[in-house]
Amino acid sequence: MEFDLLSYVVFFVAAFLGGFIDSIAGGGGLITLPAIMAMGVPPHLALGTNKLQGVFGSFTATLNFTKRGLINYKECFVGIVFTFIGAIIGAVVILFLNTNFLKIIIPFLLIAIFIYTLFMPKVGENDRAAKMNEKLFYVFFGLILGFYDGFFGPGTGSFWTFAIVALIGLNLKKAVAHTKLLNFTSNIVALGIFIAGGQMLWAVGLLMAVGQILGAYFGSNLVIKKEVKFIRTMFLVVVAVTICKLIFDYFRV
């Protein structure tokens, strides 16, 4: 496909904003995917290209959080393994499974997360005692959320962040950092499948990757510098927008 200069500017700006928002509270795909499709890119090509640029953003944020000591890889290792497995299963199952049920139920789960976070103002401010064995947590949620991200995706980052805060007691800043690592894992799996299927606009994806890297770098630095209250506010905004987008898409179809 061929695009004019303005289209490439739109791709780059959308990627920068997506990377910036995604590294703070997730949900960057709500910006980048519609921008790609608005340029007339068919859905499968848009999804593949979006995964390509998104991987660079999640990798940049993960690297920055790692350098600042916010990610404990020893804790996350089990989560990485089972997220990878779950994402592979999810990417294969999408070929056979009707996702209409998920399109109905996911907004309600996100609404529950939004209400809980809104009315529990101190959630995620400090590390707390874990309510679930960490290895068991990462096995269970790695499979479930890896599977989910492998074939559907919207809200995955929000689910990860909320689950990490609520069940293993990390503060919100650390939870966001760990979420980016696990998102990167499932994104790599999906990217491999899209590449194997030839669903990729390389020029667009690589241009957007530059925007993602810059956006993710500045966004992750903001997470590192800002207080938890700011991250919590951004988290609530992104969850609310995700809910509205999913409901809008469902009724539009």
Side-chain angles (χ1 to χ4, degrees), residues 3 34 52 67 94 134 141 150 154 157 161 165 169 175 212 220 237 249:
F3 303 96
L52 174 62
K67 288 181 178 178
I94 185 58
E134 284 187 10
F141 282 94
T161 299
V165 169
Q212 273 279 344
S220 56
V237 169
D249 287 347

Side-chain angles (χ1 to χ4, degrees), residues 66-86:
T66 299
K67 288 181 178 178
R68 304 304 176 96
L70 290 175
I71 299 178
N72 186 326
Y73 281 85
K74 186 177 180 180
E75 289 179 4
C76 287
F77 179 74
V78 174
I80 293 170
V81 172
F82 283 91
T83 298
F84 190 90
I85 294 170

Side-chain angles (χ1 to χ4, degrees), residues 172-221:
L172 198 53
K173 189 174 290 192
K174 290 180 183 176
V176 169
H178 284 214
T179 291
K180 294 317 300 175
L181 172 62
L182 297 163
N183 272 161
F184 172 70
T185 302
S186 52
N187 283 342
I188 278 288
V189 174
L191 175 61
I193 290 171
F194 279 114
I195 290 175
Q199 302 294 338
M200 193 67 59
L201 293 175
W202 288 101
V204 173
L206 292 175
L207 171 67
M208 294 184 75
V210 177
Q212 273 279 344
I213 290 170
L214 293 172
Y217 177 77
F218 287 112
S220 56
N221 276 332

Side-chain angles (χ1 to χ4, degrees), residues 94-105:
I94 185 58
L95 300 174
F96 309 100
L97 187 66
N98 188 323
T99 60
N100 285 335
F101 174 74
L102 285 173
K103 290 179 180 178
I104 296 171
I105 195 67

